[in-house]
Amino acid sequence: MPGAGKKTVAEFLKMKQRGEKIVMMTAYDAPTAAIAAEAGVDILLVGDSLAMTMLGYQNTLPLTVEESLHHCKAVRRGAPDAFIVGDMPFMSFYNNAVKESVLNAGRFLKEAGCNAVKLEGGADSANLTAAMTAAGIPVMGHIGLLPQKVLISGYRVQGKNEDDAERIVNDAVALQEAGAFAIVLECVPLELGRVISQKLAIPTISIGAGIHCDGQVQVFHDLIGMFDGFTPKHSKRYAEAGKIIRDAVKSYVSEVKEGVFPDDAHSFH
Ligand code: KIV
């Protein structure tokens, strides 16, 4: 039975009350989890973004509970004391199937040692949030842009007009009332991030929702600059890891081809 870390959800409420920012980052494997924990990341999210960043899928929809649990277990092994949130994959929770959803959520705690689960969805996920919370499973909400609804809404900034903004505020309030301990706000205008963060007692965690939120979350591969091409506007590249890795592998290939590696220093006598 894996350990479940040392922090409880109460810690994040206190951080909000103290005005201390919460740092969350995705992690999908043991070495990255260990680096993140050592660097002081407060929450490790085994995001369903792992479908794209690690598994080569086009979007998050194909990810299964089994695939996700496999990565959650690795993250727990790499960071035994960390607060780990497991992201519930598309169709592993559904508001007409409360019992099955709660049992799926429970697997993240029982089998992988996660401290909490994250569910995409607003007021429509409130009944599930309440049922999971009642079962002792801490729930992080996720509103605004919902990657699991990509086939319906695309990857567009949400809450730009008054009606949509009001709907998102109502989603946030419904999730708080249902017992969520924190809520991810994805890709909403800065001002809406501020309004929701001030209205809620529980912490808001922004990805593209601005500086006024109580914390920030970034996808690990975006912040280390792993992939070329499109970088989301809300992501900052703190390194160019993709280039460093490509250069290293190219150097290895050419040294072997040229008969330079292994040299004497890397040989046994
Ligand atoms: O899967 C993920 O990485 C996420 C973050 C974008 C919040 O849900």
Side-chain angles (χ1 to χ4, degrees):
M1 164 72 187
K6 287 184 175 159
K7 281 188 185 151
T8 67
V9 297
E11 178 64 19
F12 303 111
L13 192 58
K14 285 191 208 139
M15 286 174 82
K16 174 165 180 145
Q17 288 161 353
R18 289 198 297 266
E20 187 184 335
K21 294 285 186 185
I22 299 166
V23 182
M24 179 157 109
M25 190 184 86
T26 65
Y28 317 105
D29 57 45
T32 308
I35 288 170
E38 194 191 328
V41 172
D42 298 302
I43 302 178
L44 303 186
L45 171 66
V46 187
D48 62 353
S49 51
L50 84 86
M52 288 109 89
T53 55
M54 303 291 288
L55 303 181
Y57 294 121
Q58 288 298 308
N59 56 40
T60 59
L61 305 189
L63 188 75
T64 65
V65 170
E66 300 305 331
E67 286 169 329
S68 184
L69 288 174
H70 177 73
H71 287 267
C72 289
K73 289 176 192 174
V75 168
R76 172 54 77 211
R77 286 192 291 270
D81 295 335
F83 191 95
I84 299 173
V85 177
D87 208 359
M88 293 200 64
F90 179 61
M91 295 310 293
S92 67
F93 61 102
Y94 187 61
N95 55 18
N96 282 348
V98 175
K99 184 175 172 194
E100 193 186 335
S101 305
V102 174
L103 291 175
N104 278 336
R107 294 188 66 191
F108 284 81
L109 275 62
K110 283 172 76 83
E111 296 176 34
C114 289
N115 301 77
V117 297
K118 177 167 81 60
L119 298 186
E120 283 188 22
D124 54 339
S125 292
N127 66 328
L128 293 178
T129 301
M132 289 174 191
T133 306
I137 303 167
V139 175
M140 176 178 278
H142 181 155
I143 58 176
L145 192 161
L146 302 178
Q148 292 180 7
K149 297 246 166 76
V150 61
L151 301 181
I152 293 170
S153 323
Y155 294 113
R156 271 198 308 274
V157 176
Q158 303 289 304
K160 284 177 104 171
N161 64 52
E162 224 172 277
D163 286 350
D164 204 34
E166 192 182 328
R167 174 186 61 79
I168 295 172
V169 173
N170 291 339
D171 281 342
V173 171
L175 291 176
Q176 172 171 281
E177 283 172 359
F181 75 93
I183 299 181
V184 169
L185 298 183
E186 180 162 356
C187 292
V188 299
L190 182 73
E191 178 56 15
L192 183 55
R194 189 186 64 75
V195 167
I196 294 173
S197 303
Q198 284 182 351
K199 196 172 179 74
L200 295 188
I202 59 172
T204 56
I205 313 279
S206 155
I207 177 158
I211 190 78
H212 305 298
C213 292
D214 303 301
Q216 299 293 325
V217 54
Q218 286 284 290
V219 171
F220 171 67
H221 291 74
D222 290 339
L223 76 85
I224 64 165
M226 186 65 180
F227 302 122
D228 283 341
F230 175 69
T231 305
K233 181 173 163 65
H234 55 68
S235 298
K236 180 168 172 184
R237 292 170 83 96
Y238 286 87
E240 291 301 329
K243 180 174 171 0
I244 292 170
I245 293 169
R246 263 193 311 278
D247 288 349
V249 176
K250 277 185 196 161
S251 299
Y252 167 62
V253 170
S254 65
E255 288 200 357
V256 172
K257 297 280 185 196
E258 288 161 14
V260 173
F261 177 85
D263 55 11
D264 205 47
H266 298 92
S267 303
F268 299 99
H269 293 284

